[in-house]
Amino acid sequence: MIVEFEQEGKALKHVWSNCVGAGRANEGLRADWQEQLKVVQKECGFRYLRFHGLLHDDMHVYKEEDGKVVLNFQYADKLFDKLLEIGIRPFVEFGFMPGGLASTEATQFWWKGRIAPPKDYEKWRALITGLVKHWIYRYGEAEVKQWYFEIWNEPDLPVF
């Protein structure tokens, strides 16, 4: 590679100017985390935030009671409301598998993210469809169309 110091330079497009990663969804419910995120976003100006665990059991999105599926988007809403208020759009990772829907007990990481595929793909479809329809109703189709979606975290890695 040859570096030409005499030529006019070009602006460097930083990956971090568009999207950054931030641990787990449940951490985003903490007030101190949200305040720190607000400062970092103001200083760095990124537009999207990606995190793990949106469907993890600690977010209480999915459970089954008496054979019926119960969906609860309360914590996901609190997190997404705060992101959008700060000026950040979610880069939605549909993971990890809720315990009630996991086909095995296999987990990864200290927080026990379930890495199993769903035991019932129809229930999985209903969960994802219900969640996206909820977001369209809550935030509007024009907003949700600006989000990025990842269906499975790094499926190319053997552990997942």
Side-chain angles (χ1 to χ4, degrees), residues 84-128:
L84 293 168
E85 175 188 312
I86 294 171
I88 301 170
R89 289 193 168 100
F91 185 124
V92 180
E93 175 194 296
F94 289 120
F96 282 59
M97 190 61 62
L101 196 49
S103 60
T104 73
E105 295 294 318
T107 64
Q108 186 68 3
F109 310 120
W110 67 266
W111 49 274
K112 308 270 190 242
R114 293 187 189 275
I115 57 175
K119 64 183 175 188
D120 183 325
Y121 279 89
E122 182 55 34
K123 288 180 179 178
W124 169 253
R125 183 201 60 76
L127 167 59
I128 301 305

Short mmCIF file of all heavy atoms in Angstrom, two decimals, residues 84-128:
data_model
loop_
_atom_site.label_atom_id
_atom_site.label_comp_id
_atom_site.label_asym_id
_atom_site.label_seq_id
_atom_site.Cartn_x
_atom_site.Cartn_y
_atom_site.Cartn_z
N LEU A 84 -35.50 5.02 21.69
CA LEU A 84 -36.05 5.97 20.72
C LEU A 84 -36.08 7.39 21.29
O LEU A 84 -35.83 8.36 20.57
CB LEU A 84 -37.43 5.52 20.28
CG LEU A 84 -37.43 4.21 19.46
CD1 LEU A 84 -38.84 3.67 19.31
CD2 LEU A 84 -36.77 4.40 18.11
N GLU A 85 -36.33 7.51 22.58
CA GLU A 85 -36.32 8.83 23.24
C GLU A 85 -34.92 9.46 23.15
O GLU A 85 -34.79 10.66 22.94
CB GLU A 85 -36.73 8.66 24.70
CG GLU A 85 -36.66 9.92 25.54
CD GLU A 85 -36.90 9.62 27.00
OE1 GLU A 85 -37.88 8.91 27.32
OE2 GLU A 85 -36.11 10.08 27.84
N ILE A 86 -33.89 8.63 23.29
CA ILE A 86 -32.51 9.10 23.23
C ILE A 86 -32.09 9.41 21.79
O ILE A 86 -31.16 10.16 21.55
CB ILE A 86 -31.56 8.05 23.86
CG1 ILE A 86 -31.83 7.92 25.36
CG2 ILE A 86 -30.11 8.38 23.62
CD1 ILE A 86 -31.10 6.76 26.02
N GLY A 87 -32.80 8.85 20.82
CA GLY A 87 -32.43 9.05 19.42
C GLY A 87 -31.70 7.87 18.83
O GLY A 87 -30.96 8.01 17.85
N ILE A 88 -31.90 6.69 19.42
CA ILE A 88 -31.25 5.46 18.95
C ILE A 88 -32.34 4.48 18.50
O ILE A 88 -33.34 4.31 19.19
CB ILE A 88 -30.45 4.80 20.09
CG1 ILE A 88 -29.39 5.76 20.62
CG2 ILE A 88 -29.82 3.50 19.61
CD1 ILE A 88 -28.72 5.28 21.89
N ARG A 89 -32.11 3.86 17.37
CA ARG A 89 -33.03 2.82 16.90
C ARG A 89 -32.46 1.46 17.27
O ARG A 89 -31.25 1.25 17.27
CB ARG A 89 -33.20 2.91 15.39
CG ARG A 89 -34.01 4.12 14.97
CD ARG A 89 -34.44 4.04 13.53
NE ARG A 89 -35.42 5.06 13.29
CZ ARG A 89 -35.16 6.23 12.69
NH1 ARG A 89 -33.95 6.51 12.27
NH2 ARG A 89 -36.14 7.10 12.52
N PRO A 90 -33.35 0.51 17.58
CA PRO A 90 -32.85 -0.83 17.90
C PRO A 90 -32.42 -1.60 16.66
O PRO A 90 -33.03 -1.49 15.61
CB PRO A 90 -34.07 -1.50 18.54
CG PRO A 90 -35.25 -0.77 18.03
CD PRO A 90 -34.80 0.63 17.74
N PHE A 91 -31.32 -2.33 16.81
CA PHE A 91 -30.92 -3.35 15.85
C PHE A 91 -31.38 -4.63 16.54
O PHE A 91 -30.74 -5.12 17.46
CB PHE A 91 -29.40 -3.34 15.66
CG PHE A 91 -28.90 -4.27 14.60
CD1 PHE A 91 -28.14 -3.79 13.55
CD2 PHE A 91 -29.17 -5.63 14.64
CE1 PHE A 91 -27.66 -4.65 12.57
CE2 PHE A 91 -28.69 -6.50 13.67
CZ PHE A 91 -27.93 -6.00 12.63
N VAL A 92 -32.52 -5.14 16.14
CA VAL A 92 -33.21 -6.19 16.87
C VAL A 92 -32.58 -7.56 16.60
O VAL A 92 -32.56 -8.03 15.48
CB VAL A 92 -34.71 -6.24 16.48
CG1 VAL A 92 -35.43 -7.35 17.24
CG2 VAL A 92 -35.37 -4.89 16.71
N GLU A 93 -32.09 -8.16 17.67
CA GLU A 93 -31.60 -9.54 17.62
C GLU A 93 -32.65 -10.40 18.31
O GLU A 93 -32.88 -10.25 19.50
CB GLU A 93 -30.26 -9.67 18.33
CG GLU A 93 -29.77 -11.10 18.40
CD GLU A 93 -28.63 -11.26 19.38
OE1 GLU A 93 -27.56 -10.67 19.15
OE2 GLU A 93 -28.81 -11.99 20.38
N PHE A 94 -33.30 -11.27 17.57
CA PHE A 94 -34.30 -12.17 18.16
C PHE A 94 -33.58 -13.32 18.86
O PHE A 94 -33.42 -14.40 18.31
CB PHE A 94 -35.27 -12.70 17.10
CG PHE A 94 -36.22 -11.67 16.58
CD1 PHE A 94 -36.23 -11.34 15.24
CD2 PHE A 94 -37.10 -11.02 17.43
CE1 PHE A 94 -37.12 -10.39 14.75
CE2 PHE A 94 -37.99 -10.08 16.96
CZ PHE A 94 -38.00 -9.76 15.62
N GLY A 95 -33.15 -13.07 20.05
CA GLY A 95 -32.42 -14.08 20.79
C GLY A 95 -32.40 -13.68 22.25
O GLY A 95 -32.73 -12.57 22.58
N PHE A 96 -32.02 -14.52 23.09
CA PHE A 96 -31.86 -15.94 22.86
C PHE A 96 -33.22 -16.61 23.03
O PHE A 96 -34.20 -15.93 23.32
CB PHE A 96 -30.83 -16.47 23.83
CG PHE A 96 -29.42 -16.14 23.40
CD1 PHE A 96 -28.97 -14.84 23.22
CD2 PHE A 96 -28.53 -17.17 23.15
CE1 PHE A 96 -27.67 -14.58 22.83
CE2 PHE A 96 -27.22 -16.91 22.77
CZ PHE A 96 -26.79 -15.61 22.61
N MET A 97 -33.32 -17.92 22.92
CA MET A 97 -34.61 -18.60 22.95
C MET A 97 -35.23 -18.55 24.35
O MET A 97 -34.56 -18.88 25.33
CB MET A 97 -34.43 -20.05 22.52
CG MET A 97 -35.72 -20.80 22.27
SD MET A 97 -36.73 -20.08 20.95
CE MET A 97 -35.65 -20.23 19.53
N PRO A 98 -36.50 -18.18 24.45
CA PRO A 98 -37.18 -18.26 25.76
C PRO A 98 -37.20 -19.70 26.25
O PRO A 98 -37.36 -20.63 25.45
CB PRO A 98 -38.60 -17.77 25.46
CG PRO A 98 -38.53 -17.07 24.15
CD PRO A 98 -37.38 -17.67 23.40
N GLY A 99 -37.06 -19.88 27.57
CA GLY A 99 -37.02 -21.23 28.13
C GLY A 99 -38.22 -22.07 27.78
O GLY A 99 -38.09 -23.25 27.48
N GLY A 100 -39.40 -21.48 27.80
CA GLY A 100 -40.62 -22.22 27.51
C GLY A 100 -40.75 -22.66 26.07
O GLY A 100 -41.61 -23.48 25.73
N LEU A 101 -39.89 -22.14 25.21
CA LEU A 101 -39.97 -22.46 23.79
C LEU A 101 -38.73 -23.22 23.31
O LEU A 101 -38.69 -23.71 22.18
CB LEU A 101 -40.13 -21.16 23.00
CG LEU A 101 -40.59 -21.20 21.56
CD1 LEU A 101 -41.84 -22.07 21.39
CD2 LEU A 101 -40.87 -19.80 21.06
N ALA A 102 -37.71 -23.35 24.17
CA ALA A 102 -36.45 -23.99 23.79
C ALA A 102 -36.60 -25.50 23.65
O ALA A 102 -37.27 -26.15 24.45
CB ALA A 102 -35.37 -23.67 24.82
N SER A 103 -35.95 -26.06 22.64
CA SER A 103 -36.02 -27.51 22.39
C SER A 103 -35.03 -28.29 23.25
O SER A 103 -35.15 -29.51 23.38
CB SER A 103 -35.77 -27.80 20.91
OG SER A 103 -34.50 -27.32 20.52
N THR A 104 -34.04 -27.61 23.83
CA THR A 104 -33.08 -28.25 24.74
C THR A 104 -32.77 -27.29 25.87
O THR A 104 -33.18 -26.13 25.85
CB THR A 104 -31.76 -28.62 24.04
OG1 THR A 104 -31.01 -27.43 23.80
CG2 THR A 104 -31.99 -29.37 22.73
N GLU A 105 -32.01 -27.76 26.82
CA GLU A 105 -31.58 -26.94 27.96
C GLU A 105 -30.24 -26.25 27.70
O GLU A 105 -29.71 -25.58 28.58
CB GLU A 105 -31.48 -27.80 29.23
CG GLU A 105 -32.82 -28.35 29.70
CD GLU A 105 -33.78 -27.25 30.15
OE1 GLU A 105 -33.34 -26.32 30.85
OE2 GLU A 105 -34.96 -27.33 29.79
N ALA A 106 -29.69 -26.40 26.50
CA ALA A 106 -28.37 -25.86 26.18
C ALA A 106 -28.34 -24.34 26.35
O ALA A 106 -29.23 -23.64 25.88
CB ALA A 106 -27.98 -26.24 24.76
N THR A 107 -27.28 -23.86 27.03
CA THR A 107 -27.11 -22.42 27.24
C THR A 107 -25.68 -22.01 26.94
O THR A 107 -24.79 -22.85 26.81
CB THR A 107 -27.44 -22.01 28.69
OG1 THR A 107 -26.51 -22.65 29.57
CG2 THR A 107 -28.87 -22.37 29.06
N GLN A 108 -25.48 -20.71 26.87
CA GLN A 108 -24.16 -20.14 26.66
C GLN A 108 -24.05 -18.90 27.55
O GLN A 108 -25.06 -18.25 27.83
CB GLN A 108 -23.99 -19.76 25.18
CG GLN A 108 -22.63 -19.28 24.79
CD GLN A 108 -21.58 -20.37 24.85
OE1 GLN A 108 -21.86 -21.53 25.14
NE2 GLN A 108 -20.36 -20.01 24.60
N PHE A 109 -22.86 -18.59 27.99
CA PHE A 109 -22.55 -17.41 28.80
C PHE A 109 -22.99 -17.59 30.25
O PHE A 109 -23.77 -18.47 30.58
CB PHE A 109 -23.17 -16.13 28.23
CG PHE A 109 -22.89 -15.92 26.77
CD1 PHE A 109 -23.93 -15.83 25.87
CD2 PHE A 109 -21.59 -15.82 26.29
CE1 PHE A 109 -23.69 -15.64 24.52
CE2 PHE A 109 -21.34 -15.64 24.94
CZ PHE A 109 -22.39 -15.54 24.05
N TRP A 110 -22.49 -16.73 31.11
CA TRP A 110 -22.80 -16.81 32.54
C TRP A 110 -24.27 -16.57 32.82
O TRP A 110 -24.82 -17.07 33.80
CB TRP A 110 -21.93 -15.83 33.34
CG TRP A 110 -22.24 -14.39 33.06
CD1 TRP A 110 -21.61 -13.59 32.15
CD2 TRP A 110 -23.25 -13.59 33.66
NE1 TRP A 110 -22.18 -12.33 32.14
CE2 TRP A 110 -23.19 -12.30 33.06
CE3 TRP A 110 -24.23 -13.81 34.64
CZ2 TRP A 110 -24.04 -11.27 33.42
CZ3 TRP A 110 -25.07 -12.77 34.98
CH2 TRP A 110 -24.96 -11.52 34.38
N TRP A 111 -24.95 -15.83 31.95
CA TRP A 111 -26.36 -15.49 32.17
C TRP A 111 -27.30 -16.51 31.54
O TRP A 111 -28.51 -16.34 31.56
CB TRP A 111 -26.65 -14.07 31.69
CG TRP A 111 -26.16 -13.74 30.32
CD1 TRP A 111 -24.93 -13.28 29.96
CD2 TRP A 111 -26.91 -13.82 29.10
NE1 TRP A 111 -24.85 -13.09 28.61
CE2 TRP A 111 -26.06 -13.41 28.05
CE3 TRP A 111 -28.22 -14.20 28.80
CZ2 TRP A 111 -26.47 -13.36 26.73
CZ3 TRP A 111 -28.62 -14.15 27.47
CH2 TRP A 111 -27.75 -13.74 26.46
N LYS A 112 -26.74 -17.59 31.03
CA LYS A 112 -27.50 -18.76 30.55
C LYS A 112 -28.43 -18.43 29.38
O LYS A 112 -29.61 -18.74 29.39
CB LYS A 112 -28.31 -19.39 31.69
CG LYS A 112 -27.49 -19.70 32.93
CD LYS A 112 -26.93 -21.09 32.84
CE LYS A 112 -26.32 -21.48 34.17
NZ LYS A 112 -24.93 -21.75 34.09
N GLY A 113 -27.87 -17.80 28.35
CA GLY A 113 -28.64 -17.57 27.13
C GLY A 113 -28.92 -18.90 26.44
O GLY A 113 -27.99 -19.65 26.14
N ARG A 114 -30.18 -19.20 26.21
CA ARG A 114 -30.56 -20.49 25.60
C ARG A 114 -30.26 -20.47 24.11
O ARG A 114 -30.80 -19.65 23.37
CB ARG A 114 -32.02 -20.79 25.84
CG ARG A 114 -32.33 -21.05 27.30
CD ARG A 114 -33.76 -21.51 27.47
NE ARG A 114 -34.12 -21.55 28.86
CZ ARG A 114 -33.88 -22.58 29.68
NH1 ARG A 114 -33.30 -23.65 29.22
NH2 ARG A 114 -34.24 -22.51 30.94
N ILE A 115 -29.43 -21.41 23.70
CA ILE A 115 -28.96 -21.46 22.31
C ILE A 115 -29.68 -22.52 21.49
O ILE A 115 -29.29 -22.80 20.37
CB ILE A 115 -27.43 -21.67 22.26
CG1 ILE A 115 -27.03 -22.94 23.00
CG2 ILE A 115 -26.72 -20.45 22.84
CD1 ILE A 115 -25.56 -23.30 22.89
N ALA A 116 -30.75 -23.06 22.02
CA ALA A 116 -31.50 -24.12 21.34
C ALA A 116 -32.47 -23.52 20.32
O ALA A 116 -32.99 -22.43 20.52
CB ALA A 116 -32.30 -24.92 22.36
N PRO A 117 -32.73 -24.25 19.25
CA PRO A 117 -33.81 -23.84 18.34
C PRO A 117 -35.16 -24.04 19.04
O PRO A 117 -35.24 -24.70 20.08
CB PRO A 117 -33.66 -24.76 17.14
CG PRO A 117 -32.79 -25.87 17.57
CD PRO A 117 -32.04 -25.45 18.77
N PRO A 118 -36.22 -23.47 18.49
CA PRO A 118 -37.53 -23.64 19.13
C PRO A 118 -38.02 -25.08 19.04
O PRO A 118 -37.74 -25.78 18.07
CB PRO A 118 -38.44 -22.71 18.32
CG PRO A 118 -37.75 -22.48 17.03
CD PRO A 118 -36.29 -22.64 17.28
N LYS A 119 -38.75 -25.50 20.06
CA LYS A 119 -39.34 -26.85 20.04
C LYS A 119 -40.61 -26.86 19.21
O LYS A 119 -41.07 -27.92 18.79
CB LYS A 119 -39.61 -27.34 21.45
CG LYS A 119 -40.64 -26.54 22.22
CD LYS A 119 -40.80 -27.07 23.64
CE LYS A 119 -41.73 -26.19 24.45
NZ LYS A 119 -41.76 -26.57 25.85
N ASP A 120 -41.18 -25.70 18.96
CA ASP A 120 -42.41 -25.58 18.18
C ASP A 120 -42.28 -24.34 17.29
O ASP A 120 -42.38 -23.21 17.76
CB ASP A 120 -43.61 -25.45 19.13
CG ASP A 120 -44.94 -25.40 18.43
OD1 ASP A 120 -45.03 -24.82 17.32
OD2 ASP A 120 -45.92 -25.91 19.00
N TYR A 121 -42.05 -24.58 16.00
CA TYR A 121 -41.82 -23.46 15.09
C TYR A 121 -43.08 -22.62 14.86
O TYR A 121 -42.97 -21.44 14.55
CB TYR A 121 -41.24 -23.97 13.76
CG TYR A 121 -39.75 -24.21 13.85
CD1 TYR A 121 -39.25 -25.44 14.26
CD2 TYR A 121 -38.85 -23.20 13.56
CE1 TYR A 121 -37.88 -25.66 14.37
CE2 TYR A 121 -37.49 -23.39 13.67
CZ TYR A 121 -37.00 -24.62 14.08
OH TYR A 121 -35.65 -24.81 14.18
N GLU A 122 -44.23 -23.19 15.02
CA GLU A 122 -45.47 -22.40 14.90
C GLU A 122 -45.57 -21.39 16.05
O GLU A 122 -45.93 -20.24 15.86
CB GLU A 122 -46.69 -23.31 14.87
CG GLU A 122 -48.01 -22.57 14.70
CD GLU A 122 -48.06 -21.65 13.48
OE1 GLU A 122 -47.46 -21.96 12.44
OE2 GLU A 122 -48.73 -20.59 13.58
N LYS A 123 -45.22 -21.84 17.26
CA LYS A 123 -45.22 -20.91 18.40
C LYS A 123 -44.13 -19.86 18.24
O LYS A 123 -44.30 -18.70 18.61
CB LYS A 123 -45.05 -21.68 19.71
CG LYS A 123 -46.28 -22.47 20.10
CD LYS A 123 -46.07 -23.21 21.41
CE LYS A 123 -47.33 -23.98 21.80
NZ LYS A 123 -47.11 -24.76 23.05
N TRP A 124 -42.99 -20.26 17.69
CA TRP A 124 -41.90 -19.31 17.42
C TRP A 124 -42.37 -18.25 16.42
O TRP A 124 -42.17 -17.06 16.62
CB TRP A 124 -40.69 -20.06 16.89
CG TRP A 124 -39.58 -19.19 16.34
CD1 TRP A 124 -39.27 -19.02 15.03
CD2 TRP A 124 -38.67 -18.39 17.07
NE1 TRP A 124 -38.21 -18.16 14.91
CE2 TRP A 124 -37.82 -17.75 16.15
CE3 TRP A 124 -38.49 -18.13 18.43
CZ2 TRP A 124 -36.80 -16.89 16.54
CZ3 TRP A 124 -37.46 -17.26 18.81
CH2 TRP A 124 -36.64 -16.66 17.86
N ARG A 125 -43.02 -18.70 15.34
CA ARG A 125 -43.55 -17.78 14.34
C ARG A 125 -44.54 -16.82 14.97
O ARG A 125 -44.51 -15.61 14.74
CB ARG A 125 -44.22 -18.54 13.20
CG ARG A 125 -44.74 -17.62 12.07
CD ARG A 125 -45.81 -18.27 11.22
NE ARG A 125 -46.99 -18.65 11.98
CZ ARG A 125 -47.93 -17.79 12.41
NH1 ARG A 125 -47.83 -16.52 12.19
NH2 ARG A 125 -48.98 -18.22 13.09
N ALA A 126 -45.43 -17.35 15.81
CA ALA A 126 -46.44 -16.51 16.46
C ALA A 126 -45.78 -15.47 17.38
O ALA A 126 -46.24 -14.32 17.45
CB ALA A 126 -47.42 -17.38 17.23
N LEU A 127 -44.72 -15.87 18.09
CA LEU A 127 -44.01 -14.94 18.96
C LEU A 127 -43.40 -13.80 18.14
O LEU A 127 -43.60 -12.62 18.46
CB LEU A 127 -42.92 -15.68 19.74
CG LEU A 127 -41.89 -14.81 20.46
CD1 LEU A 127 -42.54 -13.88 21.47
CD2 LEU A 127 -40.82 -15.68 21.11
N ILE A 128 -42.65 -14.14 17.11
CA ILE A 128 -41.97 -13.12 16.30
C ILE A 128 -42.99 -12.25 15.59
O ILE A 128 -42.88 -11.01 15.57
CB ILE A 128 -40.99 -13.77 15.30
CG1 ILE A 128 -39.94 -14.59 16.05
CG2 ILE A 128 -40.34 -12.71 14.42
CD1 ILE A 128 -39.17 -13.85 17.13
#
